[in-house]
């Protein structure tokens, strides 16, 4: 629980830094590019969380029904973690 609080505080610090950067921007073009970059980063983080959640669902349900999960059916048991992550990312989208 302590680590979650530390992560939350770190996230608040990042938001504070982003607000400071936003105040330093003096042209509208850079301001719009900064906002677009923020949206892209938020989408990447959301997709990452969805992929991790999708993989977790596939591995947790393996305890109850071995061989009946999407991870087993996709043949990911012997694959590298990068391959598993990209497959989970693909199917979570």
């Amino acid at each position: 629980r302590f680590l979650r609080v530390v992560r939350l505080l770190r996230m608040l610090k990042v938001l504070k830094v982003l607000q400071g950067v936003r105040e330093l921007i003096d042209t509208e073009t850079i301001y719009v590019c900064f906002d677009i970059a923020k949206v892209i980063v938020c989408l990447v983080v959301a997709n990452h969380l969805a992929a991790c959640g999708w993989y977790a669902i596939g591995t947790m349900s393996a305890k109850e029904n071995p061989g009946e999960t999407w991870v087993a059916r996709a043949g990911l048991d012997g694959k590298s973690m990068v391959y598993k992550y990209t497959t989970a990312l693909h199917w979570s989208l």
Side-chain angles (χ1 to χ4, degrees):
R1 291 184 187 197
F2 178 73
L3 291 176
R4 289 181 185 170
V5 172
V6 171
R7 287 181 187 167
L8 182 61
L9 291 175
R10 188 181 318 153
M11 192 64 162
L12 291 174
K13 185 177 179 181
V14 168
L15 291 175
K16 192 179 218 181
V17 168
L18 287 176
Q19 185 64 29
V21 169
R22 193 173 187 181
E23 290 173 2
L24 293 175
I25 296 173
D26 56 348
T27 65
E28 188 68 25
T29 304
I30 295 174
Y31 183 75
V32 169
C33 289
F34 183 72
D35 280 347
I36 290 171
K38 277 192 334 186
V39 169
I40 290 171
V41 168
C42 287
L43 286 173
V44 167
V45 169
N47 289 339
H48 168 74
L49 293 174
C52 291
W54 186 245
Y55 182 75
I57 290 170
T59 55
M60 286 175 162
S61 58
K63 295 174 186 173
E64 299 156 5
N65 300 323
E68 294 296 320
T69 66
W70 75 267
V71 175
R73 288 187 181 184
L76 298 179
D77 292 329
K79 303 290 183 177
S80 70
M81 197 59 176
V82 173
Y83 187 80
K84 291 177 185 179
Y85 175 76
T86 55
T87 304
L89 182 65
H90 170 81
W91 289 108
S92 68
L93 298 177

